[in-house]
Amino acid sequence: MDKDRIKNAVREILAAIGEEPEREGLRGTPERIADMYEEIFSGLGEDPEKCLEIHFQQEKYEELVLVKDIPFYSMCEHHMVPFFGKAHIGYLPKSGKLTGLSKLARVLEVYSKRPQLQERLTGDVADSIMRKLEPYGVIVVIEAEHMCMTMRGIKKAGSKTVTSAVRGVFETDAKARAEALSMINNGR
């Protein structure tokens, strides 16, 4: 990440909107934004599938594993404003291949720390888990509020966008999909 280019761009944007970049309250803003971008876009330099390398191979468990209500935030690549919410990630392990529960959340975190679309984020998380763990199936449901709909445009605060990605058995077995969705929706 080229922090100097970011700082210069922020100064230009501030001037373009009619602000004085050297005004007391704005003097450190270009540096703060460059630091923030380095943090919130850190997923650009990471391979999400490396998060799944630690797993257990000898367990006999082949039932649904579901981690619910994983908080996340990302940046909408269309407007460069945040969207945030929670994700639910489940998989049906095959041949005793289990990963640590936190690894599922970590895959989400890496993908969400990139300029993003919610639809792509949902699918990328599911695809990575399918490739790396080779389970019977994966289900990912993401619920998010988009600031591009809250603070600009239509201005509908509190509206949620829900996306899902189903892979493997969850695509073909309505009963398995219904069980996973029931577990996601119950207990709220």
Side-chain angles (χ1 to χ4, degrees):
M1 181 166 295
D2 188 339
K3 289 175 81 170
D4 286 331
R5 279 183 67 191
I6 293 169
K7 290 188 277 188
N8 289 333
V10 170
R11 285 185 195 94
E12 287 183 31
I13 290 168
L14 289 170
I17 64 170
E19 269 290 357
E20 175 51 55
E22 293 305 315
R23 179 170 64 78
E24 182 181 7
L26 294 175
R27 216 172 286 135
T29 298
E31 179 70 34
R32 286 188 293 274
I33 288 177
D35 290 345
M36 176 186 66
Y37 279 9
E38 184 174 56
E39 179 182 341
I40 66 175
F41 295 126
S42 63
L44 288 167
E46 290 187 54
D47 177 359
E49 291 182 23
K50 285 189 176 182
C51 301
L52 297 168
E53 286 186 6
I54 299 173
H55 50 269
F56 309 96
Q57 303 234 10
Q58 303 303 317
E59 296 298 322
K60 302 289 186 234
Y61 192 79
E62 291 192 348
E63 301 294 327
L64 180 62
V65 175
L66 176 67
V67 180
K68 291 177 40 168
D69 299 324
I70 306 165
F72 79 95
Y73 66 88
S74 192
M75 291 289 276
C76 167
E77 68 182 35
H78 291 150
H79 302 101
M80 293 304 285
V81 294
F83 67 96
F84 58 93
K86 57 187 169 184
H88 317 285
I89 303 172
Y91 73 105
L92 279 169
K94 180 172 27 174
S95 304
K97 247 182 162 178
L98 297 172
T99 191
L101 300 174
S102 68
K103 306 305 181 196
L104 300 174
R106 182 73 180 124
V107 170
L108 171 70
E109 182 177 332
V110 172
Y111 276 121
S112 67
K113 287 189 172 187
R114 300 174 176 186
Q116 200 53 274
L117 297 174
Q118 181 175 334
E119 297 88 341
R120 183 174 60 237
L121 174 62
T122 308
D124 284 349
V125 170
D127 291 338
S128 285
I129 294 167
M130 275 303 284
R131 275 192 302 271
K132 195 67 178 178
L133 297 181
E134 300 174 332
Y136 290 112
V138 174
I139 185 166
V140 177
V141 176
I142 294 181
E143 306 170 47
E145 182 171 346
H146 291 251
M147 295 306 288
C148 56
M149 285 182 55
T150 297
M151 64 186 287
R152 59 158 307 279
I154 197 163
K155 295 184 180 122
K156 297 299 180 194
S159 62
K160 299 277 194 268
T161 299
V162 180
T163 52
S164 68
V166 292
R167 305 290 185 264
V169 70
F170 293 114
E171 291 177 281
T172 58
D173 186 334
K175 186 177 175 183
R177 185 173 49 255
E179 176 190 4
L181 291 172
S182 174
M183 288 175 70
I184 288 169
N185 292 319
N186 289 335
R188 295 194 179 245

